[in-house]
Amino acid sequence: MKIVHLTTVHSPDDTRIFHKECRSLADAGHQVTLVAPAKVDAHKDGVHIAAIPVVGGRRARLTKTLWSAYRRAVQARSDVYHFHDPELIPVGLALELVHRKPVVYDVHEDLPRDIYTKDYIPVPLRWSIARVTACVEWLGGRVFSGISAATTTIAQRFPAAKTIVLQNFPRVEELANTGNRPYAQRDPVIAYMGGIARIRGVQEMVDAMERLGADRPVRLEMAGAFQPPALEAEMKARPGWANVQHLGWLDRGGIAGLLGRARLGMVTLHPMTTYLDAQPVKLYEYMAAALPVVASDFPRWRRIVGDEGCGLLVDPLNPCAIAEAVGWLLDNPGEAEEMGCRGRQAVLSRYNWEVEERKLLGLYERLRLEG
């Protein structure tokens, strides 16, 4: 089939969209185009990248970029359309109702809950916006031909007959060669990757580095962008920043390099409602790279980290507890390496993209037969 994926928010190199979904569909023999913000059209790993303008600011993105995405989608004359951002719901409705094409809505986050964490939305307006968002998604769920939900909690908000749970598990082969340097010989490097935000625990991680740095040489290497950008200056003013290195955005090769030199991975998200049921891809990528993890002590994560014995769970709001857990893993490299091995084995057997890929291909087979 001819398949078009659309995003106005994510990069053409996005892990879930490009490296997992688009590549899997192309490998299965489909003709895949990804409409995404980029400077020029390109062709990579069997996927055609159709560039739309890269703009700054939400207003321009919700007008100029949205229209460009719709126009390129229509021009492609695809058999199936698959979009990844809530702001593209009007485009998806037009493609499904006006152009009579099957459309898949890929729901990455629990948006009605996430509204309450958005700093740029005034607090008095959040409840109303969350309710309107939930209604719009409810309508989309009844109109769209398929729903791809990132977690079981998200999937519960959509019709079961047309919804699959497509979890953000890693590609096993992608992180297979990160352990070339023996674990015991690695420097005391701690890895963090992803969005760098207050509710994702950046302040507590930096403060934990202050406590750890007083006793041993240690370095927290952070890959990702600050959200908002002004937060970076605030974190750099904290004493613990002396033991932090901000790497900025890394491609997949850079991520593999970071995980290959680290001794452990951090994922200490705050106990926000939207995170309690989340399954952050960084957690599984640390495990795939055979790194022990220091993770927030959430009930869902206890069933992963705790039951698999692949790391330590902490109160994410307590820098002392974070520092204590990291220090124990650094001081006990034998036990830490065993934890990492157990995590990788869990990924190989259960938490891998190869398992999820079959669900994605099954969804498209259903759409093909229905068409």
Side-chain angles (χ1 to χ4, degrees), residues 77-351:
R77 298 183 181 276
S78 180
D79 298 316
V80 179
Y81 292 93
H82 188 140
F83 72 93
H84 293 265
D85 312 311
E87 63 194 42
L88 283 166
I89 288 177
V91 171
L93 291 172
L95 292 169
E96 182 91 44
L97 297 175
V98 178
H99 297 275
R100 300 296 181 180
K101 296 291 186 177
V103 173
V104 177
Y105 177 23
D106 204 302
V107 195
H108 296 200
E109 299 173 336
D110 193 337
L111 187 60
R113 288 184 178 182
D114 286 351
I115 294 294
Y116 293 99
T117 70
K118 304 297 184 183
D119 293 334
Y120 57 84
I121 299 177
V123 174
L125 299 180
R126 292 179 187 176
W127 184 88
S128 298
I129 294 175
R131 293 302 93 204
V132 170
T133 299
C135 291
V136 171
E137 285 199 323
W138 180 90
L139 173 63
R142 272 67 193 166
V143 172
F144 298 136
S145 297
I147 303 292
S148 171
T151 69
T152 54
T153 301
I154 294 172
Q156 291 169 2
R157 296 194 288 108
F158 296 94
K162 61 173 70 175
T163 301
I164 64 168
V165 179
L166 199 66
Q167 299 172 99
N168 277 327
F169 295 158
R171 282 181 173 269
V172 172
E173 78 281 358
E174 185 179 38
L175 300 173
N177 297 317
T178 60
N180 293 332
R181 186 175 183 184
Y183 184 85
Q185 297 178 17
R186 299 183 189 184
D187 295 331
V189 170
I190 304 158
Y192 174 85
M193 52 196 196
I196 304 172
R198 199 178 303 277
I199 62 174
R200 297 189 179 208
V202 60
Q203 180 173 317
E204 289 78 12
M205 287 190 287
V206 172
D207 289 350
M209 292 306 104
E210 178 187 3
R211 291 161 172 78
L212 285 163
D215 301 324
R216 58 174 67 77
V218 64
R219 183 171 72 254
L220 170 63
E221 295 192 14
M222 307 182 76
F226 278 88
Q227 303 167 353
L231 182 61
E232 182 174 6
E234 182 182 339
M235 291 301 105
K236 285 183 174 179
R238 304 186 77 82
W241 190 263
N243 299 311
V244 178
Q245 181 180 2
H246 181 217
L247 305 175
W249 182 87
L250 297 179
D251 60 16
R252 300 307 295 168
I255 290 295
L258 168 60
L259 299 182
R261 63 177 176 268
R263 294 270 292 274
L264 62 108
M266 295 271 281
V267 53
T268 50
L269 307 181
H270 283 190
M272 311 292 291
T273 303
T274 187
Y275 289 151
L276 293 176
D277 293 319
Q279 297 192 96
V281 65
K282 65 175 69 68
L283 171 63
Y284 297 105
E285 290 188 336
Y286 297 149
M287 293 166 62
L291 291 182
V293 301
V294 173
S296 301
D297 188 8
F298 298 160
R300 177 183 288 272
W301 296 10
R302 286 180 208 144
R303 297 195 295 271
I304 303 169
V305 178
D307 291 355
E308 302 293 349
C310 61
L312 300 176
L313 296 163
V314 298
D315 176 358
L317 302 179
N318 187 340
C320 291
I322 296 171
E324 183 178 348
V326 171
W328 189 92
L329 291 172
L330 295 177
D331 293 341
N332 297 274
E335 291 88 340
E337 185 173 12
E338 290 178 3
M339 287 182 175
C341 290
R342 289 195 290 268
R344 177 161 176 78
Q345 187 56 48
V347 168
L348 291 175
S349 61
R350 290 183 295 284
Y351 306 122

Side-chain angles (χ1 to χ4, degrees), residues 12 32-34 38-44 46-51 72:
V32 182
T33 296
L34 171 58
K39 294 182 179 179
V40 295
D41 288 5
H43 196 81
K44 181 179 178 182
V47 178
H48 177 65
I49 309 297
R72 295 220 65 168

